[in-house]
Amino acid sequence: MLSKKEKELIANVWERLTPVADDIGADALLRMFTTFPGSKSYFSHLDLRPRSPHLKTRGKRIVLAIAEGAKDIDHLAVALAPLQTLHAYRLRIDPSNFKHFSHCMLVTLACYLGDRFTPVMHAAMDKFLSAFAAVLAEKFR
Amino acid sequence: MVEWTDSEREYINIIFSNMDYDDIGPKALARCLIVYPWTQRYFGGFGNLYNADAIMANPMIAAHGTKILHGMDRALKNMDDIKNTYATLSELHSEKLHVDPDNFRLLGDCLTVVIAGKMTVKEFTPDMQAAWRKFLSVVVAALGKQYH
Protein backbone atom coordinates (compact mmCIF):
# COMPACT_ATOMS: atom_id res chain seq x y z
CA MET A 1 0.00 0.00 0.00
CA LEU A 2 1.31 3.44 -0.90
CA SER A 3 0.74 6.32 1.50
CA LYS A 4 -0.28 9.78 0.27
CA LYS A 5 3.27 11.01 0.95
CA GLU A 6 4.79 8.13 -1.01
CA LYS A 7 2.51 8.81 -3.99
CA GLU A 8 3.56 12.47 -4.00
CA LEU A 9 7.23 11.50 -3.76
CA ILE A 10 6.89 9.12 -6.70
CA ALA A 11 4.94 11.58 -8.88
CA ASN A 12 7.55 14.22 -8.11
CA VAL A 13 10.55 12.04 -8.99
CA TRP A 14 9.11 10.90 -12.32
CA GLU A 15 8.12 14.43 -13.28
CA ARG A 16 11.72 15.55 -12.69
CA LEU A 17 13.05 12.63 -14.74
CA THR A 18 10.72 13.09 -17.73
CA PRO A 19 13.16 15.44 -19.58
CA VAL A 20 15.83 12.69 -19.47
CA ALA A 21 13.43 9.82 -20.12
CA ASP A 22 15.50 8.51 -23.03
CA ASP A 23 18.75 8.38 -20.99
CA ILE A 24 17.10 6.80 -17.95
CA GLY A 25 15.15 4.32 -20.06
CA ALA A 26 18.11 3.31 -22.21
CA ASP A 27 20.31 2.84 -19.11
CA ALA A 28 17.76 0.62 -17.35
CA LEU A 29 17.14 -1.45 -20.48
CA LEU A 30 20.86 -1.96 -21.16
CA ARG A 31 21.40 -3.02 -17.54
CA MET A 32 18.56 -5.54 -17.87
CA PHE A 33 19.83 -6.96 -21.18
CA THR A 34 23.35 -7.32 -19.77
CA THR A 35 22.40 -8.78 -16.37
CA PHE A 36 19.44 -10.88 -17.53
CA PRO A 37 20.32 -11.91 -21.09
CA GLY A 38 17.08 -13.92 -21.46
CA SER A 39 15.21 -10.64 -21.58
CA LYS A 40 16.83 -9.87 -24.94
CA SER A 41 14.73 -12.59 -26.55
CA TYR A 42 11.79 -10.20 -26.80
CA PHE A 43 13.80 -7.61 -28.71
CA SER A 44 15.51 -9.67 -31.40
CA HIS A 45 14.30 -7.17 -34.01
CA LEU A 46 16.17 -4.27 -32.38
CA ASP A 47 19.79 -3.17 -32.08
CA LEU A 48 20.49 -3.58 -28.35
CA ARG A 49 24.12 -2.51 -28.32
CA PRO A 50 25.18 0.34 -25.99
CA ARG A 51 24.34 3.80 -27.37
CA SER A 52 21.96 2.28 -29.93
CA PRO A 53 19.16 4.69 -30.91
CA HIS A 54 16.70 1.79 -30.47
CA LEU A 55 17.56 1.61 -26.77
CA LYS A 56 16.85 5.33 -26.36
CA THR A 57 13.56 5.23 -28.29
CA ARG A 58 12.25 2.15 -26.50
CA GLY A 59 13.60 3.32 -23.14
CA LYS A 60 11.96 6.73 -23.52
CA ARG A 61 8.61 5.13 -24.36
CA ILE A 62 8.75 2.93 -21.26
CA VAL A 63 9.80 5.73 -18.89
CA LEU A 64 7.09 8.07 -20.20
CA ALA A 65 4.49 5.34 -19.61
CA ILE A 66 5.77 4.89 -16.05
CA ALA A 67 5.76 8.67 -15.49
CA GLU A 68 2.18 8.86 -16.79
CA GLY A 69 1.13 6.09 -14.39
CA ALA A 70 2.85 7.93 -11.53
CA LYS A 71 0.55 10.95 -12.00
CA ASP A 72 -2.51 8.97 -10.88
CA ILE A 73 -1.39 5.83 -9.04
CA ASP A 74 -4.90 5.11 -7.74
CA HIS A 75 -6.11 4.59 -11.30
CA LEU A 76 -3.20 2.72 -12.86
CA ALA A 77 -5.51 0.29 -14.67
CA VAL A 78 -7.13 3.18 -16.54
CA ALA A 79 -3.82 4.62 -17.77
CA LEU A 80 -2.42 1.19 -18.56
CA ALA A 81 -5.46 -0.38 -20.28
CA PRO A 82 -4.02 -0.27 -23.83
CA LEU A 83 -0.60 -1.44 -22.60
CA GLN A 84 -2.24 -4.30 -20.69
CA THR A 85 -3.77 -5.56 -23.93
CA LEU A 86 -0.52 -5.12 -25.84
CA HIS A 87 1.59 -7.03 -23.29
CA ALA A 88 -0.98 -9.80 -22.76
CA TYR A 89 -2.04 -10.61 -26.29
CA ARG A 90 0.72 -9.41 -28.56
CA LEU A 91 4.04 -9.19 -26.70
CA ARG A 92 3.33 -11.99 -24.20
CA ILE A 93 6.38 -11.22 -22.11
CA ASP A 94 7.05 -13.60 -19.23
CA PRO A 95 6.17 -11.50 -16.15
CA SER A 96 9.46 -12.37 -14.41
CA ASN A 97 11.03 -9.88 -16.79
CA PHE A 98 8.99 -7.06 -15.26
CA LYS A 99 10.77 -7.84 -11.97
CA HIS A 100 14.15 -7.82 -13.71
CA PHE A 101 13.38 -4.48 -15.35
CA SER A 102 12.12 -2.97 -12.08
CA HIS A 103 15.34 -3.99 -10.31
CA CYS A 104 17.47 -2.46 -13.06
CA MET A 105 15.38 0.71 -12.98
CA LEU A 106 16.07 0.97 -9.23
CA VAL A 107 19.81 0.62 -9.93
CA THR A 108 19.59 3.31 -12.64
CA LEU A 109 17.75 5.63 -10.24
CA ALA A 110 20.40 4.98 -7.55
CA CYS A 111 23.19 5.84 -10.02
CA TYR A 112 21.48 9.04 -11.17
CA LEU A 113 20.13 10.23 -7.82
CA GLY A 114 22.94 9.08 -5.48
CA ASP A 115 22.20 9.98 -1.86
CA ARG A 116 18.81 11.43 -2.86
CA PHE A 117 17.67 7.85 -3.54
CA THR A 118 17.03 7.32 0.16
CA PRO A 119 15.77 4.03 1.65
CA VAL A 120 12.30 5.61 2.01
CA MET A 121 12.26 6.64 -1.66
CA HIS A 122 13.60 3.20 -2.64
CA ALA A 123 10.80 1.47 -0.69
CA ALA A 124 8.12 3.67 -2.27
CA MET A 125 9.57 3.23 -5.77
CA ASP A 126 9.84 -0.56 -5.38
CA LYS A 127 6.20 -0.71 -4.27
CA PHE A 128 5.11 1.50 -7.17
CA LEU A 129 7.03 -0.46 -9.81
CA SER A 130 5.68 -3.75 -8.40
CA ALA A 131 2.13 -2.39 -8.56
CA PHE A 132 2.75 -1.07 -12.09
CA ALA A 133 4.02 -4.49 -13.22
CA ALA A 134 1.10 -6.28 -11.56
CA VAL A 135 -1.44 -4.06 -13.35
CA LEU A 136 0.44 -4.50 -16.63
CA ALA A 137 0.17 -8.27 -16.27
CA GLU A 138 -3.51 -8.30 -15.24
CA LYS A 139 -4.82 -9.52 -18.57
CA PHE A 140 -2.23 -12.28 -18.94
CA ARG A 141 -4.65 -14.89 -17.65
CA MET B 1 32.49 -25.07 -10.31
CA VAL B 2 31.70 -21.51 -11.36
CA GLU B 3 33.74 -20.13 -14.25
CA TRP B 4 34.86 -16.52 -13.91
CA THR B 5 36.25 -14.48 -16.79
CA ASP B 6 39.19 -12.16 -16.13
CA SER B 7 37.00 -9.11 -16.52
CA GLU B 8 34.40 -10.49 -14.07
CA ARG B 9 37.14 -11.05 -11.47
CA GLU B 10 38.40 -7.54 -12.10
CA TYR B 11 34.96 -5.98 -11.70
CA ILE B 12 34.34 -7.80 -8.40
CA ASN B 13 37.75 -6.76 -7.09
CA ILE B 14 37.17 -3.13 -8.10
CA ILE B 15 33.86 -3.07 -6.23
CA PHE B 16 35.36 -4.53 -3.04
CA SER B 17 38.52 -2.42 -3.13
CA ASN B 18 36.46 0.80 -3.41
CA MET B 19 34.07 -0.25 -0.67
CA ASP B 20 34.01 1.30 2.81
CA TYR B 21 32.69 -1.69 4.78
CA ASP B 22 31.66 0.46 7.75
CA ASP B 23 29.53 2.63 5.47
CA ILE B 24 28.12 0.26 2.86
CA GLY B 25 27.37 -2.67 5.19
CA PRO B 26 25.17 -0.70 7.60
CA LYS B 27 23.43 1.13 4.74
CA ALA B 28 22.65 -2.08 2.85
CA LEU B 29 21.21 -3.91 5.86
CA ALA B 30 19.19 -0.88 7.00
CA ARG B 31 17.84 -0.45 3.48
CA CYS B 32 16.79 -4.10 3.36
CA LEU B 33 14.89 -3.78 6.66
CA ILE B 34 13.17 -0.61 5.39
CA VAL B 35 12.35 -1.68 1.83
CA TYR B 36 11.39 -5.25 2.80
CA PRO B 37 10.04 -4.85 6.35
CA TRP B 38 9.26 -8.55 6.79
CA THR B 39 13.01 -9.16 7.00
CA GLN B 40 12.86 -7.47 10.42
CA ARG B 41 11.55 -10.76 11.78
CA TYR B 42 15.13 -11.98 12.13
CA PHE B 43 16.23 -8.97 14.15
CA GLY B 44 13.89 -9.11 17.14
CA GLY B 45 16.71 -8.63 19.62
CA PHE B 46 18.28 -5.70 17.81
CA GLY B 47 16.53 -2.83 19.57
CA ASN B 48 14.50 -0.04 17.98
CA LEU B 49 13.32 -0.83 14.43
CA TYR B 50 10.19 1.26 14.72
CA ASN B 51 10.65 3.38 11.59
CA ALA B 52 13.18 4.18 8.85
CA ASP B 53 15.02 6.80 10.93
CA ALA B 54 15.32 4.44 13.90
CA ILE B 55 16.62 1.62 11.70
CA MET B 56 19.21 3.87 10.04
CA ALA B 57 20.41 5.12 13.45
CA ASN B 58 20.45 1.68 15.09
CA PRO B 59 24.04 0.80 16.11
CA MET B 60 23.36 -2.95 16.40
CA ILE B 61 22.05 -3.04 12.84
CA ALA B 62 25.06 -1.03 11.68
CA ALA B 63 27.48 -3.43 13.36
CA HIS B 64 25.72 -6.41 11.85
CA GLY B 65 25.76 -4.84 8.38
CA THR B 66 29.53 -4.43 8.62
CA LYS B 67 29.84 -8.03 9.81
CA ILE B 68 27.86 -9.29 6.80
CA LEU B 69 30.13 -7.45 4.36
CA HIS B 70 33.25 -8.86 6.00
CA GLY B 71 31.60 -12.25 5.61
CA MET B 72 31.33 -11.60 1.87
CA ASP B 73 35.07 -10.96 1.90
CA ARG B 74 35.52 -14.68 2.29
CA ALA B 75 33.71 -15.27 -0.99
CA LEU B 76 35.92 -12.68 -2.69
CA LYS B 77 39.07 -14.41 -1.41
CA ASN B 78 37.77 -17.87 -2.46
CA MET B 79 35.92 -17.10 -5.68
CA ASP B 80 36.73 -20.52 -7.10
CA ASP B 81 35.12 -22.38 -4.22
CA ILE B 82 32.42 -20.20 -2.70
CA LYS B 83 30.16 -23.20 -2.14
CA ASN B 84 32.50 -24.91 0.32
CA THR B 85 33.68 -21.65 1.84
CA TYR B 86 30.12 -20.96 2.97
CA ALA B 87 29.11 -24.51 4.01
CA THR B 88 29.25 -23.78 7.75
CA LEU B 89 27.63 -20.36 7.35
CA SER B 90 24.83 -21.96 5.33
CA GLU B 91 24.21 -24.49 8.07
CA LEU B 92 24.13 -21.70 10.65
CA HIS B 93 21.52 -19.71 8.68
CA SER B 94 19.42 -22.83 8.10
CA GLU B 95 19.63 -24.76 11.38
CA LYS B 96 20.13 -22.04 13.94
CA LEU B 97 18.90 -18.75 12.51
CA HIS B 98 16.10 -20.24 10.36
CA VAL B 99 16.40 -17.55 7.69
CA ASP B 100 14.32 -18.04 4.53
CA PRO B 101 16.99 -18.12 1.78
CA ASP B 102 14.89 -15.78 -0.39
CA ASN B 103 15.95 -13.05 2.02
CA PHE B 104 19.59 -13.39 0.94
CA ARG B 105 18.53 -12.25 -2.53
CA LEU B 106 16.66 -9.26 -1.09
CA LEU B 107 19.71 -8.14 0.88
CA GLY B 108 21.84 -8.65 -2.23
CA ASP B 109 19.50 -6.38 -4.23
CA CYS B 110 19.71 -3.66 -1.56
CA LEU B 111 23.50 -3.97 -1.46
CA THR B 112 23.55 -3.52 -5.25
CA VAL B 113 21.44 -0.35 -4.99
CA VAL B 114 23.71 1.09 -2.25
CA ILE B 115 26.84 0.37 -4.30
CA ALA B 116 25.20 1.90 -7.39
CA GLY B 117 24.31 4.99 -5.38
CA LYS B 118 27.93 5.46 -4.38
CA MET B 119 29.22 5.08 -7.92
CA THR B 120 28.23 7.14 -10.92
CA VAL B 121 26.39 5.82 -13.97
CA LYS B 122 29.71 5.70 -15.83
CA GLU B 123 31.46 3.71 -13.07
CA PHE B 124 28.80 1.11 -12.23
CA THR B 125 28.41 0.03 -15.83
CA PRO B 126 25.93 -2.63 -17.02
CA ASP B 127 28.86 -5.07 -17.46
CA MET B 128 30.05 -4.41 -13.91
CA GLN B 129 26.49 -4.82 -12.63
CA ALA B 130 26.13 -8.15 -14.47
CA ALA B 131 29.40 -9.47 -12.98
CA TRP B 132 28.37 -8.29 -9.52
CA ARG B 133 24.98 -9.96 -9.83
CA LYS B 134 26.64 -13.21 -10.90
CA PHE B 135 28.88 -13.02 -7.81
CA LEU B 136 25.85 -12.34 -5.59
CA SER B 137 23.87 -15.26 -7.06
CA VAL B 138 26.78 -17.62 -6.39
CA VAL B 139 26.99 -16.32 -2.79
CA VAL B 140 23.21 -16.64 -2.34
CA ALA B 141 23.18 -20.16 -3.79
CA ALA B 142 26.08 -21.22 -1.52
CA LEU B 143 24.31 -19.83 1.54
CA GLY B 144 21.20 -21.79 0.64
CA LYS B 145 23.05 -25.01 -0.16
CA GLN B 146 22.88 -26.67 3.27
CA TYR B 147 19.14 -26.13 3.70
CA HIS B 148 17.10 -29.32 3.69
Side-chain angles (χ1 to χ4, degrees):
Chain A
M1 296 297 297
L2 284 159
S3 68
K4 185 160 170 264
K5 213 167 155 192
E6 284 175 320
K7 287 178 199 172
E8 281 168 10
L9 195 61
I10 290 162
N12 189 270
V13 168
W14 287 109
E15 200 189 321
R16 281 193 289 129
L17 291 175
T18 299
V20 287
D22 52 356
D23 289 331
I24 298 283
D27 190 73
L29 277 176
L30 186 59
R31 286 182 189 281
M32 181 179 70
F33 294 142
T34 315
T35 310
F36 307 102
S39 61
K40 290 192 290 188
S41 61
Y42 300 99
F43 298 91
S44 52
H45 55 294
L46 298 180
D47 174 7
L48 302 180
R49 290 170 300 177
R51 289 175 297 279
S52 145
H54 288 171
L55 277 183
K56 284 210 165 189
T57 329
R58 196 54 55 109
K60 182 177 179 179
R61 203 184 295 174
I62 293 172
V63 168
L64 290 182
I66 294 173
E68 197 58 36
K71 286 179 190 163
D72 190 2
I73 296 174
D74 290 332
H75 301 102
L76 270 179
V78 173
L80 290 180
L83 287 173
Q84 283 178 323
T85 309
L86 175 74
H87 284 78
Y89 301 118
R90 199 152 78 80
L91 303 179
R92 287 178 291 190
I93 295 177
D94 188 300
S96 61
N97 293 283
F98 299 153
K99 279 205 186 102
H100 296 331
F101 182 74
S102 296
H103 171 71
C104 291
M105 179 54 80
L106 292 174
V107 172
T108 296
L109 291 175
C111 283
Y112 273 83
L113 300 174
D115 283 339
R116 288 171 296 163
F117 195 57
T118 61
V120 169
M121 191 187 280
H122 177 169
M125 195 59 73
D126 193 29
K127 285 197 279 184
F128 168 64
L129 291 175
S130 304
F132 193 96
V135 171
L136 203 57
E138 248 171 31
K139 291 191 174 138
F140 273 48
R141 57 176 172 174
Chain B
M1 206 188 81
V2 182
E3 300 283 336
W4 302 98
T5 65
D6 286 342
S7 64
E8 282 171 341
R9 287 181 198 273
E10 204 188 321
Y11 283 135
I12 308 301
N13 274 291
I14 288 172
I15 290 171
F16 271 95
S17 63
N18 285 333
M19 199 149 59
D20 177 358
Y21 288 48
D22 293 322
D23 178 47
I24 302 289
K27 284 191 169 129
L29 183 56
R31 193 168 281 248
C32 186
L33 297 176
I34 293 164
V35 177
Y36 307 111
W38 54 90
T39 58
Q40 293 172 25
R41 75 192 302 283
Y42 303 110
F43 296 90
F46 278 64
N48 187 1
L49 303 179
Y50 188 64
N51 55 28
D53 288 332
I55 292 170
M56 288 191 285
N58 186 314
M60 290 175 77
I61 293 295
H64 199 72
T66 308
K67 190 174 172 184
I68 290 172
L69 266 201
H70 282 294
M72 288 187 69
D73 238 3
R74 290 166 57 194
L76 170 73
K77 295 188 167 93
N78 296 282
M79 271 175 74
D80 293 315
D81 197 12
I82 294 177
K83 193 168 70 176
N84 283 322
T85 303
Y86 277 158
T88 324
L89 214 52
S90 176
E91 238 182 87
L92 171 78
H93 282 80
S94 160
E95 302 302 304
K96 193 155 168 270
L97 304 175
H98 304 291
V99 178
D100 179 346
D102 273 347
N103 292 279
F104 304 146
R105 192 182 40 83
L106 297 180
L107 178 58
D109 283 353
C110 286
L111 179 56
T112 304
V113 167
V114 170
I115 288 169
K118 280 284 162 189
M119 296 192 182
T120 63
V121 155
K122 284 197 165 61
E123 288 168 336
F124 196 57
T125 62
D127 284 336
M128 185 181 272
Q129 181 184 341
W132 176 244
R133 188 166 184 101
K134 180 175 166 180
F135 176 77
L136 281 180
S137 24
V138 174
V139 166
V140 164
L143 277 175
K145 195 81 190 137
Q146 301 303 324
Y147 281 65
H148 60 90

